Amino acid sequence: MGAILLAAAVALPAAAAAGAPAPRLDFGAADWALARGVADDPGLAAWYGGTGLQPVFAAPEGAPLRAALIAEAGRAAAHGLPDVYGVERLRRLDAAMQAPVETELAFARSFARWAHDVGGGILEPRRVHPEIRREVPRTPLDQLLRRFVQADDPEAALASVAPQTPEYRVLQAALAARTGPAIDPGLPQVPAGAWRESARDPAVVLLRARLAAAGFAADSADPELFDADLARQLRAYQARVGLAPDGVAGPRTLDRLNGGRDADSRDLLIALERMRWMNGHDLNARMIWVNLPEFNVRVKDGGRTIYESRAVIGKDRDDWRTPEFSDVMQNVVVNPSWNVPRSMAIRDYLPRLQQNRFAAGHLDVVDSRGRVVDRASVDFSRYTAKSFPYRLRQKPSADNALGEVKFIFPNSMNIYLHDTPTKGLFSESVRAFSNGCIRVQKPVELAHVLLEGASADPAATYARARQSGTERFLKVTGQPVHLVYFTTTVDEDGTIRHFRDIYDRDPAVWRALQQAAAEAGATGLETAALAQ
C-alpha cells in the first residue's frame, strides 16, 4: 500500500463519524510514520484515524498518561501476567522524550497489549481447546483509549480495565502472598505408596514434614507412626485442595503434596486468566452460574447466591463432555418432550431398531415434518448413521429422560439444564454421567426462581403448567447463563477452594499461557509473573 493510501486508510474513520471534519490530507513525515506504525492494529488505527493522527502519549499534556501506563503495566505480576509490556523501555523513552514518534508508538502498542491481556485475557479461549466454546466480549480499544485520555485520574481509569470482582482480588492477593498450602520444593518428597492410619514407616516422617509446610502440622512423639492426629490433618489438607478427604496418602494426594509451590501458583494463574475471560460480562447481574468441576448450579444476584443445587454434567468421554460458554436463558419448559440427540439416536438406538423395529417402544419415530411414523412401515436396515432420516422423541411422562422440567438457553450445541428421573446420581461425589446436558437436583425450585419477574406468582404459574400434562413453554426474563470451568474458585466468604480437573482442561490452558508468554519474549509465564 502506498504512503498516501495508508494515511488515508487511517484517517477515513474520522470522516465516517457524523459531523466529523473532513480527513486531513496534509500529512508530514512524522504523521506517515505514525500511520504506518499503527496500521496493522485495527484498534489503534481506528483511534488515530478518528483523531487525525494526533499524538496522545507524546503530546505536551501526555506525561500523566505515560506515568499511568508505566505504573499499571509495571504491576503485571500482580495479575499473573508475564512482563511483556516493555516497561523499562517506556521508562527510558519517558525520561528522554527525544523521539516523539518512537515514544508514541511504544506507549500505544504497550497500551493495546496491556488492555487486551488484563481486560479479557491473554488467550482467545476457543483456540485453546475444542470444548472451550467461550467468546470473550472485549471493549473496543479506541473506546478504552478515549476513556483513558478523558479521565481525571488516568491511572485509576487504566486500573479499572482489569476485572473488578472480589473474587479476582482474592486470587490476586493469594498470588501476591503465595498463600495456601504452598510447600517448599526443597523438602524431601514422600515416596510412592498408600499411607493410612496405623501405618508405621520412615516415609510418614516425610509426610508430616510436607503437611506441616502446607500449614497442617501434626506433631507426635512417634513421628514414624501414622496416628489419628496426622489422619485428621491430612483430611483437612485434602479438603482444602479439592481431594476426597479420606485420610489416605495415596497417589493423588502424594502427587499434590509433592508438587511444591509451583503447582499451587499455577492453579491461581489459570484461575486469574479464566476470570479475565469473564470480564466483559456483568457478574453482578442476576445470572445462572454452573461451575462444571464443582458439579454445582447457582443463581446469583448482586454477587450473592440465592439458589444452589447439585448437578450432574457430561461424562468424561469425547463428544459427551459439557462445553464452556455463556448464553441467555429464555424458557422454562414444563412437561418436556425429549428429542434424542442425533449422536445418541444413531449410536445407541439405530442398531437396536435394525434388530427389532419395535425396540425402545417409549420413543416415537418422527419424520422431517414432525409427524409420528408407524414403525411397521419402516425398514430400519436400509439406513446408515449418515442416511437415517428420522428423529426419536419421548413424550412427556413420569419416566421421561428430562423429568418434569427443562431450562432452555438456545445454542448450537443443544446444551440445556433439566430434571432427571435418575435421582441417585446426585449422591455421588464425582457427578459426570450425562451426555453433555446438565441435570439439576432441585429443578422445581430453580424454575420458581427463574420465573420471578416474569410471573406474579411463580409457584402457581409452574403448578398450572405442570397440571396440564402437556408441554408448556414459560418465558423468563432473559437471565445470563454461564457454564464455567474453575478448578480454583473463591467462595463468597473469600475462601479459596480447589476442585478436580475432571476434563483435564487446565493443562491445555497452562500450555497456551506458557506459549503465549514465550512468543511475547518472556522466559515463561510462571517465572515472569512470580519473579517478585
Side-chain angles (χ1 to χ4, degrees), residues 325-405:
F325 65 101
S326 294
D327 218 299
V328 178
M329 186 68 70
Q330 292 190 3
N331 293 101
V332 171
V333 184
V334 187
N335 304 319
S337 299
W338 178 46
N339 292 295
V340 180
R342 182 169 178 82
S343 60
M344 185 187 299
I346 60 179
R347 180 189 66 230
D348 299 338
Y349 289 108
L350 180 56
R352 295 172 59 186
L353 293 170
Q354 289 172 334
Q355 292 181 357
N356 175 7
R357 69 181 64 186
F358 298 108
H362 64 294
L363 300 176
D364 288 336
V365 179
V366 181
D367 66 16
S368 60
R369 298 175 63 181
R371 299 172 300 186
V372 177
V373 175
D374 181 1
R375 293 181 182 214
S377 67
V378 180
D379 179 5
F380 291 100
S381 65
R382 294 175 50 201
Y383 301 112
T384 66
K386 288 185 177 180
S387 65
F388 187 57
Y390 301 109
R391 292 185 295 112
L392 302 180
R393 182 177 66 196
Q394 184 181 19
K395 294 186 180 75
S397 63
D399 61 350
N400 185 285
L402 303 184
E404 67 175 76
V405 60

Side-chain angles (χ1 to χ4, degrees), residues 67-88:
L69 181 56
I70 289 170
E72 279 303 307
R75 298 188 183 108
H79 296 273
L81 295 172
D83 183 11
V84 295
Y85 307 102
V87 174
E88 289 306 315

Side-chain angles (χ1 to χ4, degrees), residues 412-425:
S412 62
M413 295 153 285
N414 199 30
I415 298 295
Y416 46 86
L417 278 65
H418 64 88
D419 182 20
T420 176
T422 313
K423 307 293 186 183
L425 296 178

Side-chain angles (χ1 to χ4, degrees), residues 310-312 418 420 422 425-426 433-434 437-441:
R310 290 188 170 200
V312 169
H418 64 88
T420 176
T422 313
L425 296 178
F426 292 111
F433 300 105
S434 82
C437 289
I438 297 137
R439 305 175 190 173
V440 183
Q441 185 180 29

Side-chain angles (χ1 to χ4, degrees), residues 52 57 116 186 231 244 258 269-270 285 290 305 336 394 447 449 474 497 514 520:
F57 298 98
H116 175 277
N258 288 334
L269 293 167
I270 291 170
V290 183
T305 298
Q394 184 181 19
V449 171
L474 306 178
R497 291 202 292 158
Q514 289 284 78

Side-chain angles (χ1 to χ4, degrees), residues 85-252:
Y85 307 102
V87 174
E88 289 306 315
R89 182 186 177 210
L90 297 183
R91 288 194 177 106
R92 290 194 299 271
L93 290 169
D94 178 54
M97 280 307 295
Q98 293 176 350
V101 175
E102 181 185 357
T103 299
E104 186 70 26
L105 285 173
F107 276 87
R109 289 169 181 159
S110 181
F111 181 97
R113 172 167 239 157
W114 172 258
H116 175 277
D117 293 354
V118 79
I122 300 172
L123 306 174
E124 296 300 331
R126 292 176 69 98
R127 298 180 182 176
V128 173
H129 193 286
E131 295 163 5
I132 303 177
R133 306 296 294 272
R134 180 160 305 288
E135 298 283 356
V136 177
R138 296 180 183 271
T139 304
L141 181 61
D142 56 328
Q143 292 185 22
L144 292 175
L145 264 168
R146 184 173 298 108
R147 295 176 197 167
F148 179 56
V149 170
Q150 296 176 351
D152 293 332
D153 185 342
E155 189 170 332
L158 193 52
S160 71
V161 175
Q164 300 298 301
T165 63
E167 293 84 359
Y168 190 80
R169 289 191 287 272
V170 169
L171 292 171
Q172 282 187 287
L175 183 62
R178 300 182 182 182
T179 58
I183 300 167
D184 184 350
L187 281 176
Q189 295 195 347
V190 186
W195 315 105
R196 65 189 72 220
E197 191 169 352
S198 79
R200 181 185 292 279
D201 195 278
V204 176
V205 178
L206 304 179
L207 176 63
R208 288 182 183 277
R210 294 192 77 84
L211 278 172
F216 297 86
D219 296 329
S220 172
D222 188 356
E224 292 190 1
L225 175 64
F226 196 129
D227 55 21
D229 188 39
L230 179 60
R232 180 178 62 80
Q233 291 287 47
L234 180 61
R235 285 192 294 270
Y237 170 82
Q238 290 169 322
R240 170 68 176 76
V241 299
L243 297 172
D246 57 9
V248 177
R252 285 178 53 79

